[in-house]
């Protein structure tokens, strides 16, 4: 798949804003790679949908990305990674796929000195048990506390959590839980959550206990992508900065505002919808 394929862009998708955290990490670590980002804003959040419904959404997105074409697909969504990865790989065919759970799990294990790991994520991701399962596969003795935090994604998508104190109240509502008292690492098991990472860290620091390291999938996933590109000789030959194409399934104003705030500059959006 080398040669001309190496000049193709990387496809990245999520239900909405969250995958932008992974996209930004890819831009930082692989500045010459071009990227196509698809945000399925018409169907967000994925975290309260059934696994079968999520698999139906992502199959269409992956088929569209393959048709662009792209040389690699990044599943920048924990829910899709948790319940749809087999379907995604089936539709992607020979195009390599990188999901976000594995890199986040590896980073958490590597930075948990006492082996107490907390995970917050959407209902569907938590219900899949993918994080405890993967964590225990890498380190059977690790202790895991996992909790669904469903209010965070819609709050972030509406831009509320990025610039108001409402986020602090919601974070406290979820994390003021005795089960989290012993954790030394907290995994943000949703790619939206890094958008309020600083507020989560401030809350944890204010509890007056031992420092808690916060892990998200963005940088570990970008590093994994870099490794796959090198291994398969798919790294771009270009020495120029890569371009980013932003595509959504519903051109809503909250996405435009929040994405512009996140990247610090205006972005151009295309709208691509799929038939039901």
């Amino acid at each position: 798949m080398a040669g001309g394929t190496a000049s193709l862009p990387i496809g990245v998708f999520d239900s909405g804003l969250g995958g932008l955290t992974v996209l930004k990490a890819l831009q930082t670590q692989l500045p010459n790679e071009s990227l196509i980002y698809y945000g399925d804003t018409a169907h967000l959040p994925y975290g309260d949908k059934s696994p079968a419904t999520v698999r139906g959404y992502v199959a269409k997105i992956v088929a569209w990305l393959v048709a662009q074409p792209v040389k690699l697909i990044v599943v920048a969504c924990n829910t899709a990674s948790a319940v749809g990865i087999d379907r995604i790989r089936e539709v992607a065919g020979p195009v390599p796929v990188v999901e976000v759970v594995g890199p986040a799990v590896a980073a958490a294990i590597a930075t948990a000195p006492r082996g107490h790991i907390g995970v917050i994520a959407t209902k569907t991701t938590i219900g899949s048990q993918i994080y405890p399962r993967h964590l225990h596969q890498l380190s059977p003795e690790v202790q895991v506390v996992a909790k669904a935090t469903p209010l965070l994604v819609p709050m972030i998508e509406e831009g509320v959590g990025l610039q108001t104190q409402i986020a602090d109240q919601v974070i406290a509502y979820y994390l003021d839980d005795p089960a989290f008292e012993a954790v030394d690492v907290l995994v943000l098991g949703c790619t939206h959550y890094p958008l309020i990472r600083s507020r989560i860290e401030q809350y944890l620091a204010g509890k007056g206990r031992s420092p808690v390291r916060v892990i998200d999938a963005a940088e570990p996933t970008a590093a994994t992508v870099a490794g796959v590109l090198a291994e398969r000789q798919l790294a771009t030959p270009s020495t120029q900065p890569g371009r980013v194409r932003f595509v959504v399934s519903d051109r809503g104003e909250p996405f435009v505002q929040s994405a512009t705030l996140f990247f610090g500059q205006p972005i151009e959006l295309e709208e691509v919808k799929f038939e039901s």
Side-chain angles (χ1 to χ4, degrees):
M1 290 184 66
T5 304
S7 297
L8 295 176
I10 296 168
V12 184
F13 77 89
D14 180 40
S15 62
L17 280 171
L20 295 181
T21 59
V22 176
L23 184 79
K24 197 167 189 178
L26 288 166
Q27 285 184 299
T28 300
Q29 294 191 35
L30 302 166
N32 298 330
E33 296 287 351
S34 290
L35 304 157
I36 300 176
Y37 182 84
Y38 190 96
D40 192 11
T41 47
H43 299 122
L44 67 87
Y46 279 3
D48 62 4
K49 306 293 193 301
S50 72
T53 297
V54 172
R55 285 191 285 269
Y57 294 155
V58 301
K60 294 177 181 179
I61 295 169
V62 172
W64 181 82
L65 287 171
V66 169
Q68 295 314 295
V70 296
K71 63 183 177 183
L72 181 145
I73 292 173
V74 181
V75 187
C77 173
N78 281 266
T79 299
S81 297
V83 302
I85 193 62
D86 290 342
R87 180 66 176 137
I88 289 166
R89 290 197 168 113
E90 178 186 352
V91 176
V95 179
V97 173
V98 174
E99 48 82 34
V100 290
V101 174
V105 163
I109 293 292
T111 55
R114 299 192 304 276
H116 294 267
I117 298 175
V119 181
I120 56 173
T122 66
K123 287 182 178 179
T124 301
T125 298
I126 295 298
S128 75
Q129 291 291 306
I130 192 167
Y131 270 97
R133 189 166 65 249
H134 278 53
L135 286 163
H136 287 132
Q137 284 174 352
L138 282 184
S139 181
E141 71 279 4
V142 74
Q143 297 183 47
V144 183
V145 176
K147 185 171 187 175
T149 50
L151 292 177
L152 293 181
V153 169
M155 179 184 73
I156 292 166
E157 285 287 343
E158 289 298 324
V160 176
L162 305 182
Q163 49 197 336
T164 76
Q165 293 183 344
I166 294 175
D168 299 332
Q169 298 171 346
V170 179
I171 290 165
Y173 171 73
Y174 286 127
L175 294 185
D176 188 17
D177 183 335
F180 283 94
E181 289 294 327
V183 303
D184 48 3
V185 167
L186 179 67
V187 178
L188 305 184
C190 173
T191 53
H192 282 72
Y193 297 176
L195 293 166
I196 56 169
R197 177 173 178 158
S198 62
R199 291 187 179 274
I200 291 172
E201 290 176 329
Q202 287 171 15
Y203 171 81
L204 294 170
K207 295 295 287 181
R209 62 190 186 207
S210 299
V212 178
R213 295 171 180 163
V214 177
I215 299 291
D216 72 69
E219 291 186 7
T221 299
T224 299
V225 169
V228 173
L229 293 179
E231 178 185 341
R232 302 199 181 200
Q233 299 183 333
L234 287 174
T236 180
S238 174
T239 57
Q240 300 299 313
R243 294 193 288 181
V244 183
R245 179 182 171 195
F246 292 94
V247 185
V248 292
S249 54
D250 184 24
R251 191 187 172 98
E253 194 58 31
F255 183 95
V256 176
Q257 292 176 348
S258 296
T260 298
L261 181 65
F262 181 63
F263 280 97
Q265 62 186 47
I267 63 171
E268 294 185 12
L269 279 183
E270 300 175 46
E271 184 176 281
V272 174
K273 295 183 177 182
F274 307 119
E275 294 182 5
S276 300

